[in-house]
Amino acid sequence: GASLARELELPDPKAKGWEFTDLTELDLDAYPAEPGVAAFQDDGAQPEGVMSLGAAAARSPDLVRVRLGSVVPASGDPFVARNEADWRQGALVHVPAGKALDEPVRLSVEPGAEGTRLDWRALIVLEEGAEAEVWEEYGSGGADGLFNGVTEIVVGAGANLRYVCKQELPETNWVFATQRAELGQEASLEWVALGFGSARGKVRMETKLAGRGSNAKVTGAYVGGGRQHLDYDTTQEHAAPNTTSDLAFRGVLGERATAVWRGMIRVDPGAQQTDAFQESRNLLLSKRAHADAIPGLEIEANDVRCTHAAAVAQVDREQLHYLRAHGLTEPAAKRLIIDGFLQALVERVSAGPLRETLSDSLERRLAQILDTA
């Protein structure tokens, strides 16, 4: 595995999906693999259903052997192949059939020393009828380095998962992540992605609705400043009848930040009665910020409803003028417009602590980029 990983070439700008994210300056071998620091709890007690992936491989070898690599197979992808060969840090979240976890599980991982690569691996398995909320956080500690993550999610029949991934790596870091969920019959997934940190890279988020009647709602928010380049590649694959997916991403970009979102709705043959939606909306706070939004459809069934929308806009001068005329300062007026733009996204998330946390995270990140704007 390790030698194969070394032989795989990095994609060049002509490779599909890499047209906007240039890897010519990346030398993967210049970043030696190092485990970094992972934490799975807040209060010192290991939460139920969670253990380090290394320990799990020893303690529940059958579960790990069957599941690890089943959702994200080691393919010709150089990042996944390296992760497969080199991961030392990882977590297993396993919720047995019919069980509901009372508390959200928190997995947080901090990069290691300057100039190193962290290969992080997470495996989240909800058996039939199980219920859980899992937060995965790629941390802000650490120095200049490279983060390479693979997250595999299995949502069993009738199970219900809320999954949040928050990326706030240092703004000098490369980030690469492949995250894929597979849903069984009548399974339900609510997935929230926050992209705040990193310099460059790509995060791939794929949902496969493999069981009849399964549904996924994916909500993404990114906020970039400086010269950050954020790249999200999303796939909604409908592989069974009567499935629903609803994906919405919103981005706010200041200074010279750039972003690309590429979304694909794929409807497999026989996946009748598919209902799929995707949208990407970007708000640019400066003339030098830039976003590309590229929706795509591949439909091989005839009884489907698929909708997509994409928009990139500057802050509306008329709205700004209206608010100024009503006594708001320019920064306050701008902030109100941005908050309104993001509020529509926040309201997609089920009411309660998750929505409040999402709102707070966005507030904090916006304050950072507006201070420098």
Side-chain angles (χ1 to χ4, degrees):
S3 57
L4 168 70
R6 300 287 173 275
E7 285 160 21
L8 288 168
E9 295 284 312
L10 290 181
D12 68 28
K14 292 189 195 70
K16 188 167 164 50
W18 293 94
E19 299 91 334
F20 297 95
T21 297
D22 184 6
L23 301 181
T24 47
E25 288 172 33
L26 173 61
D27 175 6
L28 263 180
D29 295 322
Y31 295 92
E34 200 196 72
V37 181
F40 311 138
Q41 67 273 348
D42 290 330
D43 55 3
Q46 190 90 319
E48 195 180 12
V50 187
M51 62 174 88
S52 93
L53 197 50
R59 211 174 309 169
S60 318
D62 292 349
L63 174 75
V64 173
R65 190 169 57 237
V66 170
R67 300 292 199 185
L68 197 67
S70 68
V71 182
V72 178
S75 58
D77 179 89
F79 301 103
V80 173
R82 297 273 167 138
N83 182 290
E84 181 93 0
D86 292 337
W87 73 267
R88 297 285 173 276
Q89 220 17 310
L92 167 70
V93 178
H94 180 235
V95 189
K99 189 150 183 48
L101 296 188
D102 302 333
E103 292 292 315
V105 169
R106 287 182 179 275
L107 311 174
S108 70
V109 52
E110 295 285 342
E114 176 87 30
T116 60
R117 184 176 95 237
L118 168 59
D119 292 287
W120 163 256
R121 190 92 190 199
L123 175 60
I124 300 167
V125 180
L126 272 64
E127 303 288 1
E128 190 170 341
E131 200 168 317
E133 184 172 311
V134 179
W135 285 67
E136 191 175 13
E137 295 177 10
Y138 305 154
S140 52
D144 182 20
L146 185 145
F147 178 90
N148 181 27
V150 172
T151 299
E152 298 183 277
I153 299 170
V154 178
V155 189
N160 184 350
L161 172 66
R162 292 163 86 189
Y163 167 69
V164 182
C165 183
K166 182 177 178 186
Q167 185 275 103
E168 44 182 358
L169 294 159
E171 288 183 31
T172 48
N173 278 44
W174 288 92
V175 62
F176 296 97
T178 297
Q179 304 168 335
R180 196 153 192 262
E182 203 156 296
L183 279 61
Q185 193 167 332
E186 302 290 334
S188 169
L189 169 68
E190 179 170 15
W191 183 341
V192 177
L194 298 174
F196 297 157
S198 81
R200 286 181 283 179
K202 183 191 277 286
V203 176
R204 277 180 294 208
M205 298 167 53
E206 303 183 1
T207 310
K208 182 175 184 178
L209 299 124
R212 180 187 282 271
S214 55
N215 74 84
K217 186 175 197 178
V218 183
T219 302
Y222 50 82
V223 180
R227 291 173 176 264
Q228 278 181 284
H229 175 69
L230 301 163
D231 178 341
Y232 277 91
D233 207 315
T234 67
T235 303
Q236 296 145 267
E237 182 185 352
H238 290 259
N242 304 96
T243 48
T244 306
S245 69
D246 170 358
L247 177 142
F249 264 61
R250 290 198 173 201
V252 175
L253 302 170
E255 297 171 273
R256 295 185 173 201
T258 55
V260 56
W261 166 82
R262 177 190 298 269
M264 177 58 74
I265 292 174
R266 187 171 292 129
V267 182
D268 297 344
Q272 304 296 1
Q273 305 271 296
T274 282
D275 188 337
F277 172 78
Q278 60 174 357
E279 75 159 13
S280 161
R281 299 189 184 279
N282 292 275
L283 189 61
L284 308 181
L285 308 185
S286 100
K287 294 275 186 284
R288 294 184 299 182
H290 179 83
D292 290 290
I294 309 146
L297 301 172
E298 283 179 13
I299 300 173
E300 297 188 58
N302 54 12
D303 180 10
V304 302
R305 192 170 81 201
C306 296
T307 327
H308 62 76
V312 178
Q314 301 277 348
V315 172
D316 188 320
R317 301 312 300 176
E318 283 180 22
Q319 273 185 315
L320 210 49
H321 183 75
Y322 174 84
L323 294 168
R324 295 292 309 275
H326 285 73
L328 266 71
T329 63
E330 174 123 358
K334 206 173 188 183
R335 184 62 197 259
L336 204 59
I337 292 168
I338 301 166
D339 284 345
F341 173 77
L342 288 171
Q343 195 51 37
L345 198 72
V346 170
E347 282 168 7
R348 286 172 52 87
V349 174
S350 1
L354 180 57
R355 187 189 285 183
E356 286 156 36
T357 308
L358 173 62
S359 197
D360 292 348
S361 296
L362 286 167
E363 288 276 315
R364 277 202 303 277
R365 178 64 184 140
L366 275 177
Q368 289 172 351
I369 73 155
L370 291 172
D371 282 350
T372 54

